[in-house]
């Protein structure tokens, strides 16, 4: 059993067993309160996501629901369009339980479709065009609908595989469908992506046999535009609102793809959307209402994070939802200029790109974002050095001054996340302020993250015993937000389920972590197949020097630890800094580990490779063959940098 403690916080928590009992009592009290709220929801609002949206916005119909390239769409019109889409779905024989394949970006048409699918009780299977092509064919074949919804930009990538499936009808959308007169109000900013905003639907549309009937040949696909699809349902008189409850299947989305180019399909029930919405309410979460916010969603639609923490959160809180279809780190600042959000989810790599552009690109000199208030880094841990850079940029753009016009920078980076399987359960608002606590100053460990009252989170050792504070172990969690299962993958679903020593079942978060004496959690990286402790020990050691180090990622290779390190942009002599860091590491880590460390220094203009979800691609890091690997060598009391030509796996 791994009894390893993190070490440095012991001064603040000598009686671990007492602290563990205190935290357990506090958690039970929170879970008991949450149980009452959930029981009330199940008794009085046991319905679909669409009905929850209607219920929450009955007195908000004239407020703006969607913002898309300067076009404002009120809640009233959004619901009307959802109903029109639902009519068309009914005309084409779709109803409760039918699984519909979708390959679309963050556009108004996607929101209308998602609401319509919820209304009739169907299931949205949302995948990405950049998935492995044969895997896309498998996804489509496993859906029992013969109709595919796809964006024109994506269709060219997947058309050949679609033709081999059972799909007989394709409804095609474009990024310009909602433009008034086909005009992009922000054409000057979107110019690098002009081709994506140029509708290609006419290029693919099937010519009708006559003015009344579609080509019903079983040998060919029938392709129609979204307007044609809606028109076909205008005379539908069927009942649209299906008999749906919180435990019915609603979405199939996909994991982040950090370990495979065929990300796992994750099934979420309606409860994952409706329950978390209830716990975001001010009277439950004890935070101000988000109703005055503009919340931007840019994370791809095939991630449950984008759906639940972006689209659903904004609309269930009555906020304005800014839809951003371009998910590219090079576009982060321009996207904010277009949408002017006050709430924003980005991965840390996107935030770092934002900071570099704001601080060092003359193009954005003088730009201000006074409405930018809640800045959440999601998906993976964000370190002290990264927060230091990002917070400098937020200060420069005067983030939050419009909402809180104080003479000091109130807005700092906030942290949120969890995994797609659990629906996103962790958060910490303005984390940098909490870092001034003595515990974090002495330990040089960033403040941990909390979770919502409805989530039961724990740290387990290898025997399933619950760890005491500061004892490293396996992070597990369970709540109403949990996925139902991995679709068609019983083995992975069984592996996800973890049982503690008392027989209680949790879902595995697949990361090493510990809990501090205040009840907050510190995530230390993804659990590997072997002993992952040396990796986070090395990472902790290097990242302590946050004034020099911006980021580091570590992979194992043939008995060596390959440390990919990026220094703060103002560091002029990275090799000298590397020697100083390695020297400290030798004292902390010991000779056995430090002798196996090899470095790869990333330059200012160089970025870590990213997965389709915007997280760092560990497989690409492992396969990096740039040839710029170095070792710190000690000879006669002096330290030098030498190139290293060890074996790097292909």
């Amino acid at each position: 059993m791994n009894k390893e403690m993190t070490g440095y916080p012991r001064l603040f928590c000598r009686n671990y067993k007492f602290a563990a009992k205190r935290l357990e009592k506090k958690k039970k009290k929170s879970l008991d309160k949450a149980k009452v709220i959930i029981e009330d929801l199940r008794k009085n609002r046991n319905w679909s996501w669409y009905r929850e949206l209607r219920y929450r916005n009955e007195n908000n119909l004239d407020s703006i629901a969607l913002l898309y390239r300067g076009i404002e769409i009120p809640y009233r019109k959004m619901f009307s369009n959802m109903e029109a889409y639902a009519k068309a779905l009914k005309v084409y024989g779709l109803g409760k339980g039918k699984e519909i394949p979708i390959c679309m970006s963050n556009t108004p048409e996607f929101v209308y479709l998602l609401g319509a699918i919820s209304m009739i009780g169907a299931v949205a299977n949302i995948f990405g065009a950049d998935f492995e092509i044969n895997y896309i064919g498998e996804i489509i074949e496993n859906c029992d609908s013969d109709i595919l919804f796809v964006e024109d930009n994506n269709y060219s990538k997947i058309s050949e595989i679609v033709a081999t499936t059972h799909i007989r009808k394709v409804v095609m959308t474009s990024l310009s469908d909602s433009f008034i007169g086909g005009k992009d109000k922000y054409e000057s900013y979107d110019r690098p992506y002009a081709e994506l905003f140029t509708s290609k639907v006419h290029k693919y549309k099937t010519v009708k046999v006559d003015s009344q009937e579609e080509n019903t040949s079983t040998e060919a696909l029938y392709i129609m535009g979204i307007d044609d699809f809606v028109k076909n349902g205008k005379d539908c008189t069927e009942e649209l609102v299906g008999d749906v409850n919180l435990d019915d299947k609603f979405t199939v989305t996909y994991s982040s793809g950090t370990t495979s180019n065929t990300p796992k399909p994750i099934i979420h029930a309606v409860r994952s959307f409706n329950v978390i919405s209830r716990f975001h309410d001010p009277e439950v979460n004890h935070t101000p209402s988000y109703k005055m916010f503009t919340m931007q969603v840019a994370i791809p639609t095939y991630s449950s994070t984008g759906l639940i923490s972006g689209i659903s959160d904004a609309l269930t809180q009555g906020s304005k939802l800014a839809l951003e279809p371009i998910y590219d780190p090079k576009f982060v600042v321009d996207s904010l200029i277009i949408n002017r959000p006050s709430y924003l989810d980005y991965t840390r790599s996107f935030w770092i790109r934002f900071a570099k552009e704001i601080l060092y690109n003359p193009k954005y000199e003088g730009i201000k974002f006074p409405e930018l208030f809640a800045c959440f880094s999601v998906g993976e841990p964000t370190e002290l050095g990264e927060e230091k850079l990002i917070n400098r940029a937020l200060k420069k753009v005067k983030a939050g001054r419009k909402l809180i016009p104080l003479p000091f920078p109130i807005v700092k980076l906030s942290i949120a996340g969890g995994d797609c399987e659990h629906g996103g359960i962790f958060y910490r608002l303005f984390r940098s302020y909490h870092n001034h606590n003595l515990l974090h100053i002495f330990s040089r460990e960033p403040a941990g993250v909390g979770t919502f009252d409805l989530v039961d989170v724990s740290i387990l050792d290898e025997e399933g015993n619950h760890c005491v504070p500061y004892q490293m172990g396996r992070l597990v969690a369970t709540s109403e937000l949990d996925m139902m299962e991995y679709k068609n993958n019983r083995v992975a679903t069984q592996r996800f389920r973890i049982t503690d020593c008392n027989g209680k079942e949790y879902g595995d978060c697949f990361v090493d972590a510990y809990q501090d004496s205040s009840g907050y959690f510190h995530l230390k990286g993804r659990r590997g197949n072997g002993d992952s402790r040396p990796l986070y020990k090395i990472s902790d050691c290097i990242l302590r020097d946050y004034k020099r180090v911006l980021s580091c990622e570590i992979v194992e290779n043939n008995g060596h630890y390959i440390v990919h390190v990026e220094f703060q942009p103002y560091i002029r002599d990275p090799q000298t800094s590397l020697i100083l860091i390695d020297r400290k590491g030798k004292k902390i880590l010991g000779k056995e580990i430090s002798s196996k460390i090899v470095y790869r220094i990333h330059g200012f203009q160089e970025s870590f490779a990213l997965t389709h979800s915007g997280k760092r691609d560990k497989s690409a890091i492992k396969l990096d063959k740039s040839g710029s690997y170095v070792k710190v060598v000690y000879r006669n009391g002096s330290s030098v940098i030498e190139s290293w030509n060890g074996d790097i796996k292909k």
Side-chain angles (χ1 to χ4, degrees), residues 412-432:
K412 300 284 188 181
L413 190 70
S414 301
I415 307 298
D419 51 54
C420 295
E421 289 84 349
H422 289 96
I425 54 177
F426 295 106
Y427 67 97
R428 167 73 88 170
L429 194 63
F430 306 153
R431 184 166 75 161
S432 294

Side-chain angles (χ1 to χ4, degrees), residues 99 123 125 135 142 247-255 263-272 304 420-423 479-497 505 507 510:
E99 193 167 319
V123 181
N125 189 319
Y135 185 49
N142 283 323
D247 293 317
D248 282 337
K249 187 194 303 185
F250 179 27
T251 61
V252 180
T253 54
Y254 292 82
S255 59
K264 293 189 286 294
I266 299 169
I267 301 174
H268 276 288
V270 176
R271 64 172 183 265
S272 293
S304 63
C420 295
E421 289 84 349
H422 289 96
S479 75
E480 292 281 303
L481 312 180
D482 287 357
M483 70 172 186
M484 299 177 76
E485 61 181 348
Y486 291 117
K487 183 182 178 184
N488 299 332
N489 196 335
R490 186 187 301 176
V491 173
T493 301
Q494 290 174 342
R495 181 170 172 260
F496 173 75
R497 311 293 183 194
E505 189 176 84
F510 302 108

Side-chain angles (χ1 to χ4, degrees), residues 69 290 375 561:
R69 288 304 185 268
Y290 284 177
C375 312
Y561 302 110

Side-chain angles (χ1 to χ4, degrees), residues 30-31 38 54 87-88 133 146 151 164 170 192 221 227 291 298 314 331 344 423 514 521 544:
S30 295
L31 291 173
I38 293 169
R54 290 295 313 221
K87 287 182 177 181
I133 192 65
D146 68 349
E151 185 184 297
T164 68
V170 172
L221 292 172
D227 290 341
K291 193 169 184 178
F331 193 62
L344 180 64
Y514 70 88
F521 295 89
R544 282 190 189 191

Side-chain angles (χ1 to χ4, degrees), residues 329 347-350 352-353 356 380 386 543 549-555 562-567 600-611 614-618 620-622 624:
T347 65
R348 62 171 167 175
S349 293
F350 274 61
I352 289 170
R353 181 62 182 249
K356 287 181 176 180
E380 53 191 345
E386 295 166 338
L543 291 168
V549 177
L550 176 63
S551 303
C552 86
E553 297 293 337
I554 306 172
V555 293
I562 314 296
V563 178
H564 291 252
V565 62
E566 181 179 2
F567 288 97
R600 156 91 156 82
I601 301 175
H602 287 240
F604 174 76
Q605 297 295 339
E606 184 181 8
S607 300
F608 284 97
L610 304 180
T611 66
K615 294 166 69 173
R616 289 187 186 159
D617 189 345
K618 291 296 181 69
I621 294 171
K622 192 167 187 176
D624 187 321

Side-chain angles (χ1 to χ4, degrees), residues 51-62:
R51 287 192 65 187
E52 182 72 8
L53 286 183
R54 290 295 313 221
Y55 172 81
R56 288 169 163 270
N57 289 289
E58 278 302 325
N59 299 318
N60 195 39
L61 296 177
D62 293 323

